[in-house]
Amino acid sequence: MRDLITTEQNIKVVYDTNDNNKVVGLLDASINSSEHEELSPAGIKVSTNSINSPDGDVLYLEQIVVDSNGLATRV
C-alpha cells in the first residue's frame, strides 16, 4: 500500500442544502465558488469560508460540518 502524501491547503466545502447541508466534496479555495455553483445541480452550494488542511493531515468529509449560513468548520 502506498503512503498518502498531503500538503497544506486551503479548502472550500461543497454541500447539499437539500440534504441537511451534507458535505459532498472539497474544492481548492482558489476555485471560483460562484461559477462552481452555477454548474452544479440545484441545492449544491460552496461554503462561504475556507478551512485549512495542514501539511501531512488528511481531511475527511465526516470531519466537516456546514451551518445554515454556509460556514464550514472542522469537528
Side-chain angles (χ1 to χ4, degrees):
M1 187 164 138
R2 292 183 174 194
D3 292 334
L4 179 61
I5 300 171
T6 62
T7 58
E8 183 172 358
Q9 188 174 13
N10 288 319
I11 297 169
K12 289 194 176 181
V13 179
V14 180
Y15 64 101
D16 187 350
T17 61
N18 295 321
D19 192 6
N20 200 28
N21 291 351
K22 178 182 177 181
V23 176
V24 295
L26 304 174
L27 293 173
D28 186 274
S30 66
I31 299 294
N32 185 313
S33 300
S34 298
E35 288 180 8
H36 187 275
E37 287 183 1
E38 286 176 18
L39 298 172
S40 298
I44 300 298
K45 301 288 183 188
V46 178
S47 62
T48 56
N49 66 314
S50 62
I51 56 176
N52 182 268
S53 179
D55 189 36
D57 190 20
V58 178
L59 183 62
Y60 296 99
L61 300 182
E62 299 82 25
Q63 296 174 308
I64 306 167
V65 295
V66 180
D67 70 13
S68 60
N69 296 316
L71 184 67
T73 54
R74 290 181 77 162
V75 289

